[in-house]
Amino acid sequence: MSSIVTLRDLLVEEIKDLYSAEKQLVKALPKVAEAATDEQLRQTILEHLEETKQHVSRLEKVFAELDESPKAKTCEAMKGLISEGEKAIGQKGPDALRDAGLIGAAQRVEHYEIAAYGTARAFAEELDLPAVVELLQATLDEEGEADKTLSRLAGAVNRAACLAGVPD
Amino acid sequence: MSSIVTLRDLLVEEIKDLYSAEKQLVKALPKVAEAATDEQLRQTILEHLEETKQHVSRLEKVFAELDESPKAKTCEAMKGLISEGEKAIGQKGPDALRDAGLIGAAQRVEHYEIAAYGTARAFAEELDLPAVVELLQATLDEEGEADKTLSRLAGAVNRAACLAGVPD
């Protein structure tokens, strides 16, 4: 990190971190969709996988705007988040409980991205890079929507999970 | 995780994860405060350290409400988030740039906690545990406020970081 001397350098670091995070997600989300049993949850995750692929290509456009070649820098936080997601995938017991755990893990991921894109957008605004701001904002909006959709689904899934644990 | 058969078990798992996350933060925040050069940022972090100690004790009250003994289960995501924070702390170059990076790392942490407490609160609501909901909501409110305060501070800090990189 010793070569970081300007806010622009720091923005590039943030984009490399996000590029790693989104690429890790593209690999992880199919396994999450496979583990989900609620049909609406599975569909939501599959749709978000397609969006995530778009997020990767938007970040490549951001690299181009910044005259940088696309390069990922391992995002340690996303590694930890995905490792928690894997625990939720491996959860034994009632399906609805596994779904409830998957939603919890997915919302942590969305919030990580909301914070990270928010920081990158603030840097781009300060640096007066409107094209970069626009690209980051487009993804930020989709992450926010995904989080809201997951919150809505959590209602029914948690209710089912609550009933699943009640002995007959 | 094989002993999780009810939503209540899953709530206990979430509380153990949060207990680990908050305890990791109590250890990490003094180093963040020490690395911060902006006086308002340093004060905000020190105040949030005191709040974080309260969050630990609130979680102990949640364990008591659930008739469980307080036990942390290593939160891998927070490990990753703190490892990213350590990179921001070690950032060479202008002070304002380091501060900008610290705010970015701290907001990721806040968002992780907002998501995790939100999930736990939703489980507690579904399980009709109003005392637990109240304890979790109190912390959730403080995490949200801390995130907003950091966003406000980011304005001035990013401006200084932007100017710091401009040659005289």
Side-chain angles (χ1 to χ4, degrees):
Chain A
M1 305 269 280
S2 57
S3 63
I4 296 170
V5 289
T6 67
L7 188 61
R8 195 177 182 286
D9 299 335
L10 201 54
L11 171 60
V12 172
E13 285 298 305
E14 294 279 346
I15 301 302
K16 285 179 183 172
D17 176 90
L18 278 166
Y19 195 51
S20 159
E22 297 281 21
K23 288 182 123 184
Q24 288 183 56
L25 269 182
V26 168
K27 275 194 195 168
L29 284 175
K31 286 177 266 181
V32 181
E34 205 179 326
T37 48
D38 180 277
E39 193 45 40
Q40 273 191 289
L41 175 58
R42 189 205 304 265
Q43 276 309 318
T44 298
I45 293 162
L46 287 174
E47 283 163 25
H48 196 58
L49 170 61
E50 292 313 305
E51 284 180 348
T52 304
K53 290 177 187 169
Q54 289 284 325
H55 300 171
V56 170
S57 83
R58 268 193 212 123
L59 288 172
E60 285 162 358
K61 287 178 192 155
V62 170
F63 279 117
E65 286 287 337
L66 295 168
D67 286 320
E68 299 274 343
S69 52
K71 203 178 149 192
K73 194 157 184 174
T74 306
C75 175
E76 294 296 334
M78 189 57 76
K79 268 176 76 175
L81 286 162
I82 287 176
S83 140
E84 289 201 342
E86 280 164 357
K87 275 191 217 165
I89 287 173
Q91 173 76 51
K92 308 283 181 218
D95 288 344
L97 267 184
R98 190 179 321 102
D99 285 349
L102 290 175
I103 292 178
Q107 289 198 287
R108 282 161 161 86
V109 167
E110 289 314 309
H111 272 272
Y112 177 83
E113 296 194 291
I114 289 167
Y117 275 103
T119 295
R121 185 200 52 192
F123 290 173
E125 272 170 359
E126 194 56 48
L127 291 161
D128 198 18
L129 298 167
V132 174
V133 170
E134 199 178 317
L135 286 161
L136 297 174
Q137 186 65 53
T139 297
L140 198 44
D141 291 343
E142 287 175 3
E143 306 291 10
E145 277 308 310
D147 182 56
K148 278 184 206 155
T149 304
L150 289 167
S151 284
R152 274 196 300 273
L153 290 178
V157 167
N158 290 350
R159 210 144 30 241
C162 190
L163 294 172
V166 178
D168 290 329
Chain B
M1 305 269 282
S2 55
S3 62
I4 297 171
V5 288
T6 67
L7 189 61
R8 195 178 181 287
D9 298 334
L10 202 54
L11 171 61
V12 172
E13 285 299 304
E14 293 279 345
I15 301 301
K16 285 179 182 170
D17 177 89
L18 277 166
Y19 195 51
S20 159
E22 297 281 20
K23 286 181 123 182
Q24 288 183 55
L25 269 183
V26 168
K27 274 194 193 165
L29 284 175
K31 288 178 263 180
V32 180
E34 205 179 325
T37 48
D38 181 276
E39 193 46 37
Q40 272 189 291
L41 176 58
R42 189 205 303 266
Q43 276 309 316
T44 299
I45 293 162
L46 286 175
E47 282 163 26
H48 196 57
L49 171 61
E50 292 313 306
E51 283 180 348
T52 303
K53 290 177 188 168
Q54 289 283 324
H55 301 172
V56 169
S57 83
R58 267 192 212 123
L59 288 172
E60 286 162 357
K61 286 179 192 153
V62 170
F63 279 116
E65 286 286 337
L66 295 167
D67 285 322
E68 298 275 343
S69 51
K71 201 177 150 193
K73 194 156 184 175
T74 306
C75 175
E76 294 298 333
M78 188 57 76
K79 267 175 77 175
L81 286 162
I82 286 176
S83 139
E84 289 201 343
E86 280 165 357
K87 277 192 215 163
I89 287 172
Q91 173 76 52
K92 309 285 182 216
D95 288 343
L97 267 185
R98 189 178 322 102
D99 285 349
L102 290 175
I103 291 177
Q107 288 198 288
R108 283 161 160 85
V109 167
E110 289 314 309
H111 272 271
Y112 177 82
E113 296 194 291
I114 289 167
Y117 275 103
T119 295
R121 186 201 51 193
F123 290 173
E125 272 170 0
E126 195 55 49
L127 291 160
D128 198 18
L129 299 167
V132 174
V133 170
E134 197 177 319
L135 286 161
L136 297 174
Q137 186 65 53
T139 297
L140 197 45
D141 290 344
E142 287 175 3
E143 305 292 9
E145 277 308 310
D147 183 56
K148 278 185 205 154
T149 303
L150 289 167
S151 284
R152 274 196 299 274
L153 290 178
V157 167
N158 290 351
R159 209 141 34 239
C162 190
L163 294 171
V166 177
D168 291 328

